[in-house]
Amino acid sequence: MRKVELYRFSLPMEAGVILRNQRLKTRDGLLVCLTENGKQGWGEISPLPEFSEETLEEAEAATLGWLHSWVNGEQAFESALPSVAFGLSCAMGELSGFLPQKADYRKAPLCNGDPDELFAVLGAMPGEKVAKVKVGLYEAVRDGMIVNLLLEAIPDLKLRLDANRSWTRAKADGFAKYVQPQFRDRIQFLEEPCKTRDESRDFSRETGIAIAWDESVREADFVVEAEPGVAAIVIKPTLVGSIQRCHMLIEQAHKAGLIAVISSSIETSLGLTQLARMAAWLTPDTIPGLDTLSLMQSQLVRPWPDSELPVLDVDALEVVWRR
Ligand SMILES: O=C(O)CCC(=O)C1=CC=C[C@@H](O)[C@@H]1C(=O)O
Ligand SMILES: [Mg+2]
């Protein structure tokens, strides 16, 4: 006997979370719970505004369509909508046991501008020290200074930087000029410095700063391959698709000698703990980019270890469909 529950959630965000052109006041999405033979599988389907192509309404319609077939005996679960494919594959992965329980709760701490906050967190971080700093939001000089400051103060620190395609070549070069040459190889990678892939490749060739693909991974013509200057690909499953598709991309990356970083699309604690399980399983040697829970005011159903945020229980959620 198969049973299904589909819930809708809306969690308030911390003030001032900006995604590209929009302030994100609440994180909205769906939770699905599949039951079969006494086992349960949960999944989160939460398209990210400004990043996902699909809307929540479209994701809900596609999810309902598949859930109807599933209660009637359907097995296959691919969806063309990445957030739906990811959430349903997690639920199926828990139900059938192919998504292992063991999780990698390490996370590269995220710095959105104030380096002082990062010092405290990094001081307490055991083992490998990796942090992620957003660049391109302020002047390139300021970005360069922050990078120097952090790398100088913490000698075993490596940085991941993310410019989200915000720089022209000239701006990107301006940034590189301010980073002290002896620090450049402690930048593990800079995600998508320029508006086009070719400009980013040129930037890396000329500055010696390694780059990573993030937005590019989701473009139709993208192929995972070894390229001079490219160190990593960033995989955000909610934006990429099913666990199976992410697994394939990660295998391709590893074969090409690239780092694959499993990263958050600002999922709730439920989705984040599943991403931590994917990371422990598929990218055990790489610290995942999952430091986004503190952007929210509460957790959902499953807590992230050590988080002090309150946990919202499933009973508090609106039921969309139950069968
Ligand atoms: O990659 C990480 O370490 C955390 C996730 C992260 O930085 C992002 C998640 C979702 C949207 C963006 O704001 C941002 C990114 O651009 O990578
Ligand atoms: Mg990015």
Side-chain angles (χ1 to χ4, degrees):
M1 244 276 280
R2 290 177 168 179
K3 272 186 8 191
V4 169
E5 275 141 71
L6 184 67
Y7 303 93
R8 199 180 286 126
F9 67 81
S10 178
L11 299 185
M13 299 291 291
E14 282 298 327
V17 177
I18 312 271
L19 289 181
R20 292 199 177 136
N21 306 309
Q22 177 182 334
R23 196 165 142 214
L24 191 67
K25 291 193 181 143
T26 56
R27 190 69 180 99
D28 299 346
L30 304 164
L31 286 191
V32 55
C33 175
L34 307 177
T35 307
E36 187 175 26
N37 302 330
K39 285 195 183 148
Q40 275 197 343
W42 287 79
E44 170 174 342
I45 297 162
S46 46
L48 185 63
E50 300 275 335
F51 283 80
S52 292
E53 306 261 328
E54 69 273 22
T55 63
L56 182 55
E57 289 68 32
E58 289 162 347
E60 184 175 309
T63 302
L64 279 169
W66 184 80
L67 292 177
H68 276 98
S69 326
W70 188 75
V71 279
N72 291 320
E74 176 72 54
Q75 287 297 349
F77 62 91
E78 255 323 313
S79 167
L81 307 183
S83 61
V84 177
F86 169 62
L88 291 178
S89 69
C90 284
M92 293 295 285
E94 290 194 348
L95 204 56
S96 69
F98 78 72
L99 176 61
Q101 281 296 338
K102 190 171 159 259
D104 184 350
Y105 292 116
R106 295 176 304 164
K107 53 192 180 185
L110 199 56
C111 172
N112 282 307
D114 180 0
D116 285 342
E117 284 173 18
L118 202 56
F119 280 121
V121 179
L122 287 169
M125 191 171 172
E128 196 188 339
K129 288 196 200 311
V130 185
K132 172 161 169 175
V133 180
K134 286 267 166 202
V135 292
L137 299 171
Y138 308 99
E139 284 307 302
V141 201
R142 185 178 186 274
D143 289 332
M145 275 166 43
I146 288 180
V147 167
N148 288 331
L149 185 83
L150 288 166
L151 290 175
E152 180 138 48
I154 309 172
D156 55 346
L157 174 68
K158 288 209 167 143
L159 285 182
R160 298 172 181 169
L161 308 177
D162 189 358
N164 287 108
R165 294 186 166 172
S166 60
W167 285 329
T168 58
R169 263 307 305 279
K171 273 235 167 134
D173 287 348
F175 162 79
K177 204 174 72 198
Y178 288 105
V179 176
Q180 291 185 27
Q182 75 271 25
F183 291 154
R184 288 190 185 182
D185 62 359
R186 284 170 56 207
I187 297 177
Q188 194 177 49
F189 53 75
L190 164 50
E191 285 175 36
E192 307 261 357
C194 301
K195 299 205 188 314
T196 69
R197 269 184 244 165
D198 277 339
E199 285 173 326
S200 291
R201 290 185 180 105
D202 287 346
F203 164 83
S204 175
R205 191 165 42 239
E206 280 175 31
T207 61
I209 295 176
I211 56 169
W213 302 130
D214 176 9
E215 285 84 348
S216 298
V217 175
R218 278 111 57 187
E219 287 174 342
D221 63 343
F222 182 77
V223 191
V224 182
E225 59 189 350
E227 292 185 76
V230 177
I233 62 168
V234 175
I235 296 179
K236 293 186 166 78
T238 286
L239 307 181
V240 164
S242 66
I243 297 180
Q244 290 77 359
R245 171 153 171 74
C246 296
H247 192 169
M248 188 189 76
L249 287 169
I250 292 165
E251 276 186 347
Q252 290 172 349
H254 288 167
K255 273 204 190 109
L258 299 173
I259 301 171
V261 186
I262 292 180
S263 164
S264 140
S265 311
I266 323 196
E267 290 84 357
T268 72
S269 59
L270 187 130
L272 285 175
T273 57
Q274 292 176 321
L275 293 173
R277 288 159 63 188
M278 283 176 69
W281 169 33
L282 302 172
T283 61
D285 300 327
T286 303
I287 298 188
L290 300 179
D291 188 26
T292 54
L293 185 56
S294 58
L295 302 175
M296 286 180 202
Q297 294 190 21
S298 71
Q299 312 195 65
L300 191 61
V301 183
R302 284 184 197 161
W304 180 276
D306 298 337
S307 170
E308 282 167 13
L309 291 175
V311 184
L312 196 70
D313 196 59
V314 71
D315 302 333
L317 301 182
E318 178 192 345
V319 178
V320 180
W321 193 64
R322 186 176 263 155
R323 180 61 50 90

